[in-house]
Amino acid sequence: MNFPKIAQEVIDKLGSKENIANLAHCATRLRLTMVDEAKIDKKAIEDIEGVKGQFSTSGQYQIIFGSGTVNKVHAEMVKIMGGESSAAQSAEKAVNAPKQNIIQRLIKGLSEIFVPIIPAIVAGGLLMGIGNIFTAKDLFEEGKSLLDLYPQYQDLANLIDTFANAPFVFLPVLLGFTATKKFGGNPYLGATLGMLLVHPALTNAYGYAEALATGNLKLWHIFGLQIERVGYQGTVIPVLIAAWVLASLEKFFVKVVPSVLNNLITPLFSLFITGFLAFTVIGPFGREAGELLSSGLTWLYDNLGFVGGGVFGSLYAPIVITGMHQTFIAIETQLLASTAATFIFPIAVMSNIAQGAACLAVAVLNKDAKVRGLAIPSGVSALLGITEPAMFGVNLRYRYPFYAAMIGSGLAAAFIAYFNVKATALGAAGLVGIASIRAGDWGMYSVGMLISFAVAFVVALVLGSREKAKA
């Protein structure tokens, strides 16, 4: 592929670089905020080499290129535009860019905060899944784990466990950086804030309940206040709130502090005030909010059973269309930190498998070489966890495979919900995702994937055959 040529074509068909208010990308898509979306030649964009689909949602125009390709196209576009944020920094464009409602801003904001750290979370999650193989009982011999059978691998298991836990233990550092950057503050101050929240001198968050119960929790006694010296490892809500406070304070001090003292006063007071608030107000509130969120969602899943799971599984793909699935990363991270398990990841896998199966059914039904050339790789990509090419490039275009995938996903999700299948880590939400599933749930999880694939594939064939008969 000639990536410079592709990038220039994309910019031209978007109505010139002056029409691009903001340029970013995720794993498979260019994500653009346009000054005037009416200037986009959408039909011409479909014909650009490498483009697998395009759509507009949540105030963003998105072009699907697929994993790997999108990075290279984005890099070339940045070169042509003179820098990733150069267009976004234009005041005129900021004024003219379309306004988003609060839900759209929330989704976009969470996406921009969490998407950059997904590779770290996925890497940690997959390593955690590998670590589970060493410690789970009954996998290789009844009543025994792999380490019981081969104790000489104990140090290897410990090494993997250390590597796997690092992104979650130090999650506030990662989130402090990306969230503060998103809120308009200095991201390095945000990272420092995250370091404060996981400082080794604090009681580890994972040992908080035990320290509280045994009366061993250490306190700071300051101005008559008793402040708990506890860390916030693996938490989400406290650091997000604290990062917003930090960025807000920093922007305030930049305005009121004389420029000659700005480099001294602004970071000092911003970080100290935010840190104090983090341990006295924000942290305790955020920890309780996170625990309530996790407990509430877990209760709903456990008590609604297969009915709730089936509904969620059916609606997962439509939720992806709205972009609201980006908020699930924050929820899943909180669930893992609080309960060491998440039900969302297995259901996401059922949806992705169904989308891939339905897309492959389109390839079976169509003789057109171009359609098959798009449907087969897109279907395989969805089975491996990247669904955008299949969903937006094929299934939504023909509609019937999308409906078939919803049916397959719903039935499979109901099945795994009935057996309470959960994941102990995040990872690639596809066939290889089994490494993230609780070891004791592997059997039912595998059956769920088979149900998802078979139902979506067969229903898509039936619906597609009826569509062809009508034509």
Side-chain angles (χ1 to χ4, degrees):
M1 284 186 175
N2 186 339
F3 292 107
K5 179 175 179 290
I6 292 172
Q8 186 61 63
E9 288 180 354
V10 170
I11 291 172
D12 291 342
K13 303 310 177 187
L14 288 172
S16 80
K17 64 182 182 181
E18 285 72 25
N19 194 38
I20 302 172
N22 193 26
L23 168 65
H25 75 92
C26 59
T28 59
R29 291 164 283 165
L30 287 177
R31 304 166 72 93
L32 304 129
T33 304
M34 308 305 299
V35 175
D36 184 1
E37 196 167 313
K39 294 181 179 179
I40 301 174
D41 188 343
K42 296 183 179 181
K43 186 177 185 306
I45 283 177
E46 290 277 2
D47 296 329
I48 296 174
E49 182 185 7
V51 171
K52 298 180 179 180
Q54 44 87 26
F55 63 100
S56 181
T57 183
S58 300
Q60 285 188 329
Y61 178 66
Q62 304 187 24
I63 305 174
I64 306 163
F65 278 98
S67 183
T69 302
V70 69
N71 304 65
K72 296 175 182 177
V73 175
H74 176 268
E76 294 299 332
M77 289 181 68
V78 168
K79 290 179 185 177
I80 296 170
M81 294 175 64
E84 183 170 356
S85 60
S86 61
Q89 290 171 345
S90 166
E92 181 182 354
K93 289 182 179 181
V95 171
N96 293 334
K99 301 297 181 183
Q100 297 178 319
N101 61 44
I102 188 169
I103 300 298
Q104 290 173 329
R105 293 200 302 271
L106 174 65
I107 294 169
K108 183 175 180 290
L110 285 174
S111 172
E112 291 175 358
I113 290 170
F114 279 91
V115 165
I117 70 170
I118 286 177
I121 294 176
V122 169
L126 291 176
L127 284 169
M128 201 172 291
I130 295 170
N132 290 340
I133 297 174
F134 285 92
T135 57
K137 295 186 181 296
D138 302 321
L139 282 181
F140 303 97
E141 187 175 314
E142 187 175 352
K144 292 186 177 182
S145 68
L146 188 62
L147 286 180
D148 292 330
L149 297 172
Y150 304 99
Q152 63 268 33
Y153 295 119
Q154 180 68 57
D155 285 345
L156 175 61
N158 288 339
L159 180 73
I160 292 172
D161 183 61
T162 301
F163 289 2
N165 284 319
F168 297 99
V169 170
F170 296 100
L171 183 64
V173 180
L174 298 174
L175 286 177
F177 186 93
T178 59
T180 305
K181 182 179 180 180
K182 164 60 185 171
F183 296 136
N186 185 323
Y188 296 98
L189 274 181
T192 305
L193 172 66
M195 294 173 195
L196 289 178
L197 297 177
V198 295
H199 197 285
L202 305 171
T203 299
N204 192 294
Y206 300 113
Y208 173 68
E210 182 181 350
L212 194 63
T214 58
N216 293 324
L217 185 64
K218 296 179 180 179
L219 302 172
W220 283 305
H221 299 275
I222 301 174
F223 302 129
L225 296 175
Q226 291 187 341
I227 305 170
E228 294 179 339
R229 293 170 58 178
V230 60
Y232 291 88
Q233 290 85 351
T235 59
V236 173
I237 296 177
V239 69
L240 291 181
I241 299 173
W244 177 79
V245 172
L246 176 66
S248 300
L249 284 173
E250 185 185 357
K251 287 184 282 189
F252 169 76
F253 285 121
V254 166
K255 290 180 181 178
V256 300
V257 172
S259 58
V260 68
L261 298 173
N262 188 53
N263 286 337
L264 296 174
I265 300 298
T266 296
L268 170 63
F269 280 88
S270 299
L271 190 60
F272 183 82
I273 294 172
T274 305
F276 186 81
L277 291 174
F279 286 106
T280 56
V281 180
I282 299 170
F285 167 78
R287 181 174 56 238
E288 290 302 318
E291 292 292 341
L292 286 173
L293 175 64
S294 300
S295 299
L297 289 171
T298 302
W299 183 89
L300 285 173
Y301 181 78
D302 292 342
N303 286 272
L304 289 178
F306 72 94
V307 176
V311 172
F312 187 24
S314 297
L315 296 178
Y316 191 87
I319 290 172
V320 170
I321 295 175
T322 68
M324 290 187 68
H325 68 298
Q326 300 287 358
T327 63
F328 293 159
I329 304 170
I331 296 172
E332 287 191 279
T333 305
Q334 184 64 52
L335 283 171
L336 289 171
S338 302
T339 66
T342 172
F343 61 87
I344 298 175
F345 178 81
I347 289 178
V349 174
M350 298 303 114
S351 179
N352 292 351
I353 295 290
Q355 291 292 332
C359 187
L360 292 175
V362 173
V364 171
L365 288 170
N366 279 271
K367 305 300 181 184
D368 186 283
K370 184 177 180 180
V371 173
R372 290 171 61 87
L374 175 61
I376 292 175
S378 297
V380 172
S381 172
L383 295 179
L384 296 175
I386 304 295
T387 58
E388 283 89 344
M391 187 184 300
F392 296 105
V394 178
N395 294 349
L396 282 170
R397 182 181 298 178
Y398 291 98
R399 290 190 300 235
Y400 72 84
F402 187 77
Y403 301 144
M406 288 179 62
I407 294 170
S409 174
L411 290 175
F415 176 84
I416 63 171
Y418 181 80
F419 289 98
N420 200 28
V421 173
K422 291 183 180 179
T424 57
L426 303 183
L431 293 173
V432 296
I434 193 167
S436 300
I437 303 301
R438 260 186 330 205
D441 295 340
W442 285 0
M444 293 302 102
Y445 173 81
S446 299
V447 174
M449 288 196 295
L450 287 173
I451 292 172
S452 180
F453 186 95
V455 172
F457 188 80
V458 171
V459 173
L461 287 178
V462 172
L463 295 179
S465 298
R466 290 179 61 185
E467 288 287 327
K468 292 182 71 175
K470 292 178 183 178

